[in-house]
């Protein structure tokens, strides 16, 4: 088996740091197409809504200069990559998603700390949603000494929250809770709160982390893609580490 040769074509800082991480681990990385390339590394996520790469270029302009047997590594690949290529979609990888959620939560707390005039342990916090990011936010806030309220749709999730020592709330109770909190993190990818819900909560900081807006409010902070924006080196290390493990597993 030939030694892997990685060709990174992503234009984000995270992709740059991923390539640097892999170089330090002994993986061969090239900055140009060649017949020896085994893996093509894209940004994560990889494509714009119109199907072009995030750089604005067409992926076929790269593929036509590379061997047919290369693997494409990126995120959200199935819609815009040819079916006959081997692919590794990091946004379908549970371990990558879990660690990326942790980085996202850390970045969200950084934003909140910058915007609030008080420290997080002294701030009343509401987390809407008990998915990956909601779990990481609750865990990190608890580690800071805060006592967040977590709103979840399922009674089974609320039971788990109470068992873990968190204050749990239903989605139906959000309007009653909002006047008592200073900070809200939304992770639910559908409308759950609007302007009317904040009539008595003018000072409440609203940070929407969901892939689609959940807080329909003029002063809500839409905070998506945080790892690549606020922690590109951490994001790059995560990508690089997952790619390294993939390459090493195949070489054994």
């Amino acid at each position: 088996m030939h030694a892997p040769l990685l060709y990174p074509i992503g234009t984000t800082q995270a992709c740059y740091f991923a390539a640097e991480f892999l170089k330090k681990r002994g993986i061969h990385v090239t900055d140009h197409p060649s017949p020896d390339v085994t893996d093509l590394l894209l940004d994560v996520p990889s494509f714009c809504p119109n199907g072009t790469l995030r750089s604005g270029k067409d992926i076929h302009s790269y593929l036509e200069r590379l061997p047919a047997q290369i693997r494409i590594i990126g995120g959200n690949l199935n819609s815009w990559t040819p079916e006959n290529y081997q692919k590794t979609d990091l946004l379908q990888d549970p371990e990558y998603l879990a660690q990326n959620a942790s980085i996202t939560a850390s970045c969200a707390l950084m934003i909140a700390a910058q915007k609030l005039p008080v420290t997080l342990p002294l701030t009343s916090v509401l987390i809407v949603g008990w998915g990956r990011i909601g779990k990481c936010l609750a865990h990190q806030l608890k580690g800071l000494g805060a006592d967040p309220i977590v709103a979840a749709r399922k009674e089974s999730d609320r039971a788990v929250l109470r068992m873990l020592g968190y204050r749990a709330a239903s989605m139906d109770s959000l309007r009653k809770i909002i006047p008592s909190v200073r900070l809200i993190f939304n992770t639910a990818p559908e409308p759950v709160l609007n302007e009317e819900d904040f009539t008595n909560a003018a000072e409440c900081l609203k940070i929407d982390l969901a892939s689609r807006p959940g807080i329909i409010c003029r002063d809500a902070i839409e905070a998506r893609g945080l790892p690549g924006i606020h922690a590109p080196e951490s994001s790059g290390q995560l990508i690089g580490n997952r790619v390294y493990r993939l390459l090493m597993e195949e070489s054994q």
Side-chain angles (χ1 to χ4, degrees):
M1 180 181 293
H2 294 293
L5 179 62
L6 187 79
Y7 179 27
I9 62 169
T11 55
T12 61
Q13 283 186 291
C15 189
Y16 166 80
F17 283 117
E20 291 301 303
F21 172 87
L22 289 163
K23 287 179 188 177
K24 292 175 182 177
R25 299 299 294 269
I27 300 299
H28 296 294
V29 177
T30 182
D31 61 0
H32 61 275
S34 84
D36 298 320
V37 169
T38 59
D39 297 270
L40 181 67
L41 179 62
L42 313 180
D43 292 315
V44 182
S46 305
F47 293 94
C48 299
N50 64 0
T52 62
L53 294 169
R54 290 174 65 179
S55 63
K57 296 183 179 180
D58 188 329
I59 190 172
H60 293 89
S61 65
Y62 292 98
L63 295 177
E64 64 189 14
R65 294 180 289 164
L66 295 169
Q69 66 273 20
I70 65 160
R71 171 177 39 209
I72 303 171
I73 304 172
N76 288 342
L77 297 178
N78 288 337
S79 298
W80 305 110
T81 51
E83 293 184 0
N84 55 319
Y85 282 87
Q86 183 182 359
K87 304 168 193 176
T88 295
D89 194 325
L90 296 180
L91 294 180
Q92 299 296 320
D93 181 280
E95 185 171 340
Y96 174 87
L97 290 171
Q99 293 185 40
N100 192 61
S102 179
I103 298 173
T104 299
S106 297
C107 293
L109 294 179
M110 288 169 51
I111 293 173
Q114 292 169 355
K115 297 288 185 180
L116 288 167
V118 292
T119 60
L120 288 172
L122 297 176
T123 302
S124 50
V125 185
L126 169 64
I127 300 168
V128 180
W130 186 237
R132 283 184 295 265
I133 296 174
K135 290 179 173 72
C136 291
L137 277 169
H139 176 73
Q140 292 183 27
L141 280 164
K142 202 78 167 179
L144 291 171
D147 184 23
I149 303 170
V150 184
R153 291 193 183 282
K154 298 179 181 178
E155 175 55 36
S156 58
D157 287 339
R158 296 195 292 273
V160 171
L161 280 160
R162 290 189 288 269
M163 184 270 295
L164 293 174
Y166 294 106
R167 290 187 289 163
S170 67
M171 292 294 188
D172 294 336
S173 65
L174 290 180
R175 181 171 287 194
K176 295 179 181 178
I177 295 171
I178 285 172
S180 66
V181 299
R182 190 71 180 275
L183 170 63
I184 294 179
F185 292 109
N186 175 63
T187 69
E190 58 186 39
V192 291
L193 295 168
N194 57 43
E195 296 276 1
E196 292 183 4
D197 297 316
F198 296 96
T199 302
N200 299 317
E203 293 186 349
C204 183
L205 178 65
K206 315 161 193 68
I207 301 178
D208 200 334
L209 301 167
S211 56
R212 296 185 299 277
I215 302 178
I216 312 303
C217 195
R218 286 168 294 179
D219 60 350
I221 298 172
E222 294 187 0
R224 300 179 183 89
L226 295 186
I229 298 170
H230 294 277
E233 186 170 348
S234 296
S235 181
Q237 276 196 327
L238 173 57
I239 295 169
N241 188 55
R242 186 63 191 95
V243 172
Y244 180 77
R245 289 180 57 187
L246 175 71
L247 297 176
M248 291 301 98
E249 288 169 2
E250 293 186 345
S251 66
Q252 294 177 356

